[in-house]
């Protein structure tokens, strides 16, 4: 069964068009699919998410195409100081103290060090990785095809920098697509906004509510 984040709502974020390697091409509706090294690979390419995840709890899924192979395919989080391109084949997420990641070889990386975490992914077999960041507990956990893998890192209560989802790959012509994205409510106003969004059909319906402009913009920014 897929993980369900309790007391949460849908989140609206995508991969950033500006904060990515030149070897990442964004595809599909609202840039949710990242194609790494469209022609051939001569290094490691990454892309950062548009969502700051420092507050509350956030859960997102990354669907990986069946082209799983190579030196490193990684899933995790990092600050804006973490690199998004290197002309070398290495584990870019976790290369220093600015990022934390899990590789497709089942290893956790941070500060350039690795440790065993789970079984290596089966090559050339598609999979879905779930990532749960809990800022209240200061933890990052992973799921694989709905199965919990446990807490991977528990150091984030000490981190003051803004944190963002990041994925990266050394493998040519590999795709990773955003799936479900959920977040906990940040306030009563946020909870009320989610109720409104669930009960209107589209942005045109929002305009027909005749709400103040500031409130309309607050609701619109959370809509798909």
């Amino acid at each position: 069964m897929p993980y369900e984040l309790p007391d949460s709502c849908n989140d609206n974020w995508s991969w950033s068009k500006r904060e990515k390697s030149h070897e990442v091409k964004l595809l599909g509706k609202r840039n949710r699919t990242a194609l790494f090294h469209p022609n051939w690979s001569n290094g490691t390419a990454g892309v950062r998410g548009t969502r700051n995840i420092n507050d509350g709890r956030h859960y997102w899924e990354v669907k990986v195409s069946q082209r799983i192979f190579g030196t490193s395919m990684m899933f995790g989080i990092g600050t804006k100081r973490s690199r998004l391109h290197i002309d070398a084949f290495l584990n870019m997420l976790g290369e220093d103290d600015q990022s934390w990641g899990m590789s497709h070889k089942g290893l956790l990386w941070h500060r350039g060090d690795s440790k065993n975490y789970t079984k290596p992914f089966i090559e050339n077999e598609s999979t879905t990785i779930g990532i749960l960041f809990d800022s209240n507990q200061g933890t990052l956990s992973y799921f694989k095809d709905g199965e919990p893998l446990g807490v991977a890192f528990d150091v984030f209560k000490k981190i003051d920098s803004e944190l963002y989802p990041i994925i990266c790959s050394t493998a040519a012509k590999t795709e990773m697509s955003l799936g479900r994205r959920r977040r906990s409510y940040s306030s009563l106003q946020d909870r009320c906004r989610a109720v409104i969004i669930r009960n209107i059909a589209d942005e045109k319906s929002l305009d027909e509510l005749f709400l103040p402009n500031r409130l309309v913009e607050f609701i619109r920014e959370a809509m798909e």
Side-chain angles (χ1 to χ4, degrees):
M1 292 290 293
Y3 175 75
E4 295 293 341
L5 182 63
D7 198 29
S8 65
C9 61
N10 289 329
D11 205 0
N12 180 23
W13 61 271
S14 226
W15 301 123
S16 174
K17 293 186 293 184
R18 291 176 295 179
E19 298 184 338
K20 68 179 184 67
S21 162
H22 62 277
E23 281 294 306
V24 174
K25 183 178 181 180
L26 299 180
L27 307 171
K29 185 178 181 181
R30 298 185 184 270
N31 302 316
R32 292 176 190 157
T33 296
L35 171 63
F36 295 88
H37 312 286
N39 298 309
W40 59 82
S41 175
N42 58 5
T44 311
V47 59
R48 186 176 289 121
T50 57
R51 165 64 72 192
N52 176 319
I53 59 172
N54 285 67
D55 295 326
R57 292 173 297 166
H58 297 263
Y59 175 78
W60 63 99
E61 291 179 344
V62 178
K63 299 177 181 179
V64 190
S65 69
Q66 64 183 15
R67 289 179 60 82
I68 297 178
F69 66 98
T71 302
S72 180
M73 301 176 71
M74 301 194 76
F75 321 86
I77 64 175
T79 72
K80 286 204 171 185
R81 294 175 59 190
S82 54
R83 292 197 289 181
L84 297 175
H85 184 86
I86 304 172
D87 288 326
F89 299 103
L90 49 75
N91 295 282
M92 189 164 64
L93 270 179
E95 64 165 340
D96 54 22
D97 63 354
Q98 297 298 308
S99 58
W100 298 257
M102 176 184 68
S103 79
H104 76 292
K105 295 185 177 180
L107 301 174
L108 297 177
W109 285 86
H110 181 58
R111 292 182 179 270
D113 294 324
S114 67
K115 64 179 181 180
N116 291 321
Y117 177 61
T118 188
K119 294 179 181 179
F121 297 8
I122 299 174
E123 292 198 356
N124 299 315
E125 183 175 301
S126 61
T127 188
T128 297
I129 302 301
I131 304 165
L132 172 64
F133 180 78
D134 188 331
S135 68
N136 301 320
Q137 298 298 321
T139 58
L140 182 70
S141 305
Y142 290 94
F143 299 75
K144 187 175 184 298
D145 296 322
E147 294 297 323
L149 301 179
V151 172
F153 302 100
D154 61 357
V155 298
F156 298 102
K157 284 187 176 181
K158 303 175 183 178
I159 306 299
D160 295 326
S161 302
E162 291 185 348
L163 297 169
Y164 296 83
I166 301 177
I167 51 176
C168 64
S169 177
T170 62
K173 301 178 182 178
T174 54
E175 285 188 2
M176 300 187 198
S177 300
L178 277 173
R180 289 193 307 142
R181 289 146 294 152
R182 305 281 296 180
R183 63 175 176 82
S184 59
Y185 296 111
S186 60
S187 63
L188 177 59
Q189 186 182 42
D190 188 25
R191 190 184 295 270
C192 293
R193 173 173 63 177
V195 172
I196 293 173
I197 290 173
R198 284 200 302 268
N199 286 278
I200 59 176
D202 48 35
E203 290 196 24
K204 182 179 179 181
S205 300
L206 176 60
D207 293 333
E208 293 172 353
L209 295 179
F210 301 106
L211 298 171
N213 289 337
R214 182 174 296 181
L215 184 54
V216 169
E217 289 305 312
F218 176 69
I219 296 171
R220 183 174 281 123
E221 71 182 15
M223 297 180 69
E224 290 286 355

